[in-house]
Amino acid sequence: MFKSQKPRENEVPVVPSQLRPGMFIRIPGSWLNHGFVANSFLIADDDEIKRISAMNLTELFCDVKRSKVPPLPKEEIIDISEIEEAQQTEQTEQEDAKLEIQARTKAMLSLHKTFG
């Protein structure tokens, strides 16, 4: 839909998750491909950010000199397999702790029966 472009002077590449009102942005490609009057404009509100995000753009540009605010920091991309692995490790540790508590409880009951 949009051909790749390079940043112009005073522009930095950004992704939709970095947008916020007060940023002056440029959407690459033809203005006919989106519902905005122009390709370059100052983001007025969160509704405009939602409209831009819905476009599923992989790149757009922020003109830092014309913006009133800087872009938000880039979100770290987290591999879902890392999250699943961490959850599995936590679940295994919880199960191991539960088994250890059960074994200690059984041993204490055995000692209590033996020594009263």
Side-chain angles (χ1 to χ4, degrees), residues 3-105:
K3 68 178 184 174
S4 180
Q5 294 186 12
K6 293 183 180 183
R8 297 176 183 161
E9 187 176 343
N10 300 319
E11 286 185 341
V12 294
V14 294
V15 294
S17 64
Q18 293 180 271
L19 300 179
R20 61 184 180 154
M23 287 177 59
F24 192 93
I25 62 151
R26 178 173 58 89
I27 299 171
S30 170
W31 64 270
L32 295 172
N33 293 327
H34 56 76
F36 296 99
V37 177
N39 282 1
S40 298
F41 56 93
L42 188 70
I43 298 175
D45 54 36
D46 289 331
D47 288 336
E48 286 186 347
I49 293 172
K50 288 177 187 173
R51 288 175 52 202
I52 296 165
S53 294
M55 295 168 64
N56 296 318
L57 296 171
T58 56
E59 67 176 359
L60 56 154
F61 303 98
C62 171
D63 186 324
V64 293
K65 290 220 175 190
R66 296 171 75 181
S67 294
K68 295 179 181 178
V69 297
L72 293 170
K74 245 185 186 175
E75 295 178 355
E76 275 190 46
I77 298 173
I78 299 173
D79 186 353
I80 192 70
S81 64
E82 291 176 14
I83 294 172
E84 290 171 346
E85 184 179 327
Q87 288 173 335
Q88 182 63 40
T89 300
E90 183 178 349
Q91 184 177 1
T92 301
E93 289 172 353
Q94 289 174 352
E95 290 170 0
D96 289 348
K98 184 178 177 182
L99 290 173
E100 186 174 336
I101 290 170
Q102 288 173 345
R104 287 183 182 197
T105 301

